[in-house]
Amino acid sequence: MGSPLRVWRLSTGLLLLVTVSVFSILVKLGLWQLDRAEYKQAWQTTLAERQAANALDYQSLLNLANNDPVTGYRLTVDTIAVSEQILLLDNQVHNGQVGYLAYQLVKVSESQPWLMVELGFVGANKDRRILPALTPMPNQPYELTGRVYQKQTNPLSEALYAETFSMNNHEVIRFQNLNLVALAEKVGHELAPAVLQPDVTPTMTLAKPWTPIPLSAQKHQGYALQWFTMAAVFLGLMLWIGFKTLKKSTHPITK
């Protein structure tokens, strides 16, 4: 067996290693949350500037979307519904209710990609075989004004997982991820790389959730505070344990 001094040195070294490692991890997590908060704050400012700017025309939107994210820009466009097909993005939540975001496709001209228009949120039935009864926009011209967005793809799964149903004389496609490239292949026509959420949807009054930033800068700042607090508490605890250990080693119990 090793001497008491050797054992004490080993235990002290291990305690120091654990303290430094865990403390460093907690502090890095806090700093990462602060970085995310700074990014989200800049993104919030960008969104506000885009909302205050003049609305884009359709070709300008397409040109921008080829190079940069376009979420938050406003768009005014003359369209016509290309079909009465309803598209349902599954597993959405609004005000605590699970449901779908409903969409319909419109065209601006024969030579341009079709535009996906969000109709709004609709609650889901507990029986997944029962789909919401929605009446699509009729095939006629519409002037639409609203904001555009691009949803982030799911890093774990980008597959469309589309299911097709026939309902009330029109087709319904239920899908799992807003993958516009895969969806374009499904409908057989090129789609614009962004979705329009119109201020007013003709013939419909569904809720229109707007969450371009799922976690706000304030949320990230709160998480950073939690990590820093945990780091401080952990450091204090380990210093107390180290002090008690040192005290025992310098004042051995005598019989």
Side-chain angles (χ1 to χ4, degrees):
M1 294 180 61
S3 65
L5 180 59
R6 179 178 175 81
V7 172
W8 178 81
R9 285 177 176 174
L10 287 174
S11 61
T12 301
L14 179 61
L15 183 66
L16 181 61
L17 178 62
V18 171
T19 301
V20 172
S21 299
V22 176
F23 180 77
S24 299
I25 291 172
L26 294 174
V27 170
K28 286 180 179 179
L29 287 171
L31 293 174
W32 176 72
Q33 288 292 346
L34 287 181
D35 286 341
R36 296 300 298 164
E38 184 178 355
Y39 168 77
K40 293 294 181 67
Q41 188 62 57
W43 186 217
Q44 287 172 347
T45 301
T46 298
L47 287 175
E49 292 173 350
R50 290 178 177 182
Q51 289 293 292
N54 293 331
L56 301 173
D57 59 45
Y58 193 50
Q59 188 58 53
S60 297
L61 174 70
L62 295 177
N63 293 339
L64 276 174
N66 288 330
N67 302 303
D68 299 300
V70 295
T71 295
Y73 281 109
R74 293 191 62 77
L75 173 70
T76 296
V77 63
D78 291 320
T79 70
I80 183 170
V82 295
S83 74
E84 294 188 349
Q85 184 182 64
I86 293 290
L87 310 172
L88 297 176
L89 177 58
D90 203 0
N91 297 317
Q92 303 300 296
V93 179
H94 178 59
N95 292 337
Q97 184 181 14
V98 177
Y100 307 96
L101 277 179
Y103 301 89
Q104 194 169 348
L105 297 174
V106 299
K107 69 177 179 180
V108 180
S109 71
E110 296 296 336
S111 61
Q112 292 176 307
W114 289 349
L115 176 64
M116 198 167 177
V117 175
E118 180 190 305
L119 305 177
F121 175 86
V122 58
N125 193 291
K126 292 182 179 180
D127 186 345
R128 286 183 54 80
R129 295 172 298 179
I130 302 176
L131 299 178
L134 296 176
T135 301
M137 296 186 298
N139 299 105
Q140 62 187 51
Y142 302 97
E143 182 184 60
L144 301 176
T145 297
R147 51 198 173 190
V148 297
Y149 65 83
Q150 294 163 304
K151 279 186 176 290
Q152 294 182 342
T153 55
N154 187 337
L156 300 179
S157 173
E158 298 181 7
L160 198 62
Y161 297 116
E163 305 170 88
T164 303
F165 305 86
S166 180
M167 184 177 178
N168 297 334
N169 297 321
H170 62 267
E171 186 179 76
V172 177
I173 297 178
R174 179 169 64 192
F175 58 101
Q176 302 300 315
N177 293 294
L178 192 55
N179 185 329
L180 293 174
V181 175
L183 194 58
E185 294 179 1
K186 176 69 177 177
V187 300
H189 197 283
E190 182 183 5
L191 299 180
V195 176
L196 173 64
Q197 185 186 72
D199 298 332
V200 177
T201 305
T203 74
M204 291 194 185
T205 57
L206 299 176
K208 293 181 172 61
W210 178 248
T211 53
I213 304 178
L215 283 179
S216 66
Q218 292 73 23
K219 283 281 189 181
H220 285 289
Q221 290 169 347
Y223 291 147
L225 179 60
Q226 291 178 6
W227 286 119
F228 290 142
T229 301
M230 291 174 62
V233 171
F234 175 77
L235 180 61
L237 175 63
M238 298 307 284
L239 288 175
W240 179 80
I241 293 175
F243 173 76
K244 297 291 287 185
T245 302
L246 180 61
K247 187 176 180 181
K248 283 184 179 181
S249 67
T250 55
H251 297 83
I253 298 174
T254 58
K255 294 184 179 179

